[in-house]
Amino acid sequence: MDSAATPPAPSVSPEKTSPAVYVALVLLCSVQMMLNLDDTVVNVALPTLQRTLGLSEGGLTWIVNAYLLTFGGFLLLGGRCADLFGPRRVFLIGVAIFGIASLMTGSAQNSAMIIASRAGQGIGGAAAGPAALAMVAGLFSDPRARSRTLGIWAGLGGFAATLGVVLSGLLTEYMSWRWCFLINVPVAVAALVAVPRLVPARRPVAGPRRVDGIGAALVTGAAAMLALGFIDAGRVGPVTIALRIGTGVVLLIAFAVVESRHTAPLIPLSFFRNRDRAVANLANIALCSTNVSMLFFLTLYLQQVLHLGPARTGAAWLPFCATVILGFATAAWSVPRVGVRVILMAALGTGSIGMFLLSRLSYTGDFPALLPGLLVAGLGMGLGFVAMTIAAVGETHDDITGLASGLVATTQQLGGAIGLGALGAVASHRSAQLVRTGFRPEFALTEGFRVAFLICAALAAAATVLVGIGITRNAGIVELPDHSDATAPAVG
């Protein structure tokens, strides 16, 4: 447990950084990868899981949605609790919940059990994720090392989401869909054992440690209703969709009113006065909307149009993974040198080009035809997650690091869920139109995906302009690095 008697953190000067700090960084990044991996690791396994447990289409959808909604809905609360009660304590509680829920998910025997345990994974992840990022941001005080470390963190998170699709195919075909969840358990156990020994406790913020329960309930309810309205857009009527989205908007307005009057708000409204932070989170919504949708649509295209099996579908994403790694390594090195704005604009512009290339896919095509779009989109994704995280979290002080981390993760999860729901509804509507007029299902599916990718390209292009106007050159970097300093650690 966190304790005031815990020894102080090891020196973080470039010359004296302890090896334990780097070990802690590896472990915390592994947990981050585990949490992001669960966004997508179930995708390729869904048809097999449906046959094994006899799930309905609605039940199958909720295996994905239960995790996204609880994770996205509770992230802000998790981030604020990390600030109020200490990130290490909240992290350990969250990892324990996530590990137990993963074990239950992998052992599930029916739809109710797997959906409930997936929701438990989301709650645990909402506590562990922001707390882990808050600890990572505190490992290095040197601005150059800190920005590179945040770059590593963000890049691995984006890479893990892609790797989830690859692992899902391999585990499903050669082992069992259950291992898509059981692989989390040893990572959780390692974190619970090692983090208390490697990461010193940080004092919580001074003053009363009260959780804004009303604010937490309002923002969680708003996030859930907005996401639910878009996620189910293709399966329920327009009145139901309007009611859900309208309820979400009303709850958001109520949340803003409550926060403006609360003595210890969940999100101080002054938090958004930092323009770089606000614009970075808006860009994060666009980045995640487009990339989560791409992962989902292309996985369906590979299986339902090109008729690849689970293992071949997973392996098809390996070139994309390679350019994601190249992108985040490039951004981690270059952001301290050229600034966040340039890299984030390059990321979104590259992503827009990649989505446009993917919009040219054909129902008579083959996998090599996808490679140009996949490679370009992967580079943009790797660059974008790094630059955006540095802009949103890099220049925060200790008493709001957890909040900033929680907001980044919230915009990632809900941006992905809402974007996929909205674009999925558009794609489904276009496909249904074509099927009704007599076109083949494969052609109809492909045309729906083409429309969705064109929208993704336009959204990424608009976000590029927003970043160019709204973000300063060195957003998230406390001070410009001195490149003549040969002693700076090569973090990443």
Side-chain angles (χ1 to χ4, degrees):
M1 292 182 61
D2 290 33
S3 168
T6 303
S11 172
V12 293
S13 65
E15 301 85 354
K16 299 181 180 180
T17 301
S18 166
V21 170
Y22 293 98
V23 176
L25 176 62
V26 170
L27 185 59
L28 292 171
C29 284
S30 298
V31 172
Q32 165 72 355
M33 290 185 69
M34 174 183 72
L35 298 178
N36 283 358
L37 194 121
D38 264 62
D39 282 350
T40 56
V41 75
V42 73
N43 282 7
V44 180
L46 286 175
T48 303
L49 197 153
Q50 183 179 29
R51 291 193 300 269
T52 303
L53 297 183
L55 299 177
S56 66
E57 290 296 328
L60 198 65
T61 301
W62 275 102
I63 292 174
V64 178
N65 293 349
Y67 183 73
L68 290 176
L69 289 177
T70 52
F71 196 176
F74 286 96
L75 275 165
L76 287 177
L77 179 60
R80 192 56 183 153
C81 285
D83 291 331
L84 294 175
F85 303 105
R88 193 179 74 175
R89 175 183 293 141
V90 174
F91 172 82
L92 294 174
I93 293 171
V95 168
I97 295 171
F98 187 88
I100 293 170
S102 295
L103 182 61
M104 293 176 60
T105 305
S107 307
Q109 300 300 313
N110 54 57
S111 60
M113 184 175 178
I114 196 169
I115 291 170
S117 55
R118 283 286 281 170
Q121 282 185 299
I123 293 171
L133 182 50
M135 287 190 287
V136 166
L139 288 177
F140 299 91
S141 58
D142 174 71
R144 187 177 355 179
R146 193 183 202 201
S147 65
R148 288 180 180 172
T149 303
L150 290 173
I152 292 171
W153 173 273
L156 287 176
F159 171 66
T162 309
L163 184 63
V165 183
V166 178
L167 280 178
S168 180
L170 296 175
L171 291 171
T172 301
E173 184 147 323
Y174 297 114
M175 297 179 69
S176 166
W177 65 265
R178 297 183 184 277
W179 281 100
C180 295
F181 308 104
L182 294 177
I183 57 173
N184 296 328
V185 177
V187 179
V189 171
L192 290 171
V193 172
V195 165
R197 292 168 172 78
L198 293 172
V199 181
R202 194 182 75 196
R203 288 180 181 274
V205 296
R209 285 183 270 173
R210 298 194 304 270
V211 176
D212 177 11
I214 296 176
L218 288 172
V219 74
T220 301
M225 293 306 296
L226 287 172
L228 192 58
F230 284 103
I231 286 171
D232 280 346
R235 289 179 290 274
V236 298
V239 175
T240 302
I241 295 170
L243 284 174
R244 290 175 180 176
I245 294 176
T247 301
V249 171
V250 170
L251 290 174
L252 273 181
I253 295 171
F255 171 72
V257 172
V258 169
E259 296 302 280
S260 67
R261 300 177 179 178
H262 203 284
T263 56
L266 183 67
I267 307 179
L269 297 184
S270 60
F271 181 84
F272 295 104
R273 291 175 188 163
N274 183 304
R275 190 180 69 182
D276 292 333
R277 193 182 298 139
V279 174
N281 278 285
L282 287 174
N284 197 21
I285 293 173
L287 186 69
C288 292
S289 295
T290 55
N291 282 287
V292 169
S293 298
M294 179 198 63
L295 289 168
F296 183 81
F297 293 139
L298 278 186
T299 299
L300 291 181
Y301 175 77
L302 291 169
Q303 290 187 294
Q304 297 180 0
V305 178
L306 300 187
H307 303 292
L308 301 185
R312 291 183 65 193
T313 298
W317 287 99
L318 289 174
F320 179 81
C321 291
T323 54
V324 170
I325 294 172
L326 175 63
F328 88 69
T330 301
W333 179 86
S334 59
V335 163
R337 290 163 172 78
V338 302
V340 162
R341 182 175 61 194
V342 171
I343 301 302
L344 193 50
M345 288 182 68
L348 291 163
T350 301
S352 179
I353 294 170
M355 297 299 166
F356 177 76
L357 292 173
L358 289 172
S359 73
R360 302 172 68 187
L361 54 80
S362 167
Y363 85 102
T364 59
D366 52 21
F367 175 71
L370 298 176
L371 277 175
L374 272 178
L375 296 175
V376 173
L379 180 64
M381 181 175 173
L383 291 169
F385 275 112
V386 171
M388 180 279 307
T389 302
I390 293 172
V393 180
E395 196 173 356
T396 55
H397 45 86
D398 284 350
D399 61 349
I400 61 168
T401 301
L403 174 58
S405 306
L407 186 60
V408 167
T410 297
T411 52
Q412 286 176 350
Q413 294 295 321
L414 295 182
I418 292 172
L420 177 57
L423 289 169
V426 170
S428 296
H429 178 71
R430 175 60 176 160
S431 297
Q433 278 184 325
L434 292 173
V435 169
R436 284 195 299 268
T437 56
F439 287 94
R440 293 178 57 183
E442 290 88 350
F443 177 83
L445 273 175
T446 303
E447 289 301 303
F449 298 155
R450 284 167 54 89
V451 172
F453 282 128
L454 283 173
I455 296 173
C456 286
L459 182 60
T464 306
V465 176
L466 174 65
V467 167
I469 296 172
I471 285 187
T472 60
R473 175 176 179 265
N474 297 300
I477 304 175
V478 179
E479 61 185 51
L480 282 170
D482 178 5
H483 299 304
S484 65
D485 180 7
T487 65
V491 183

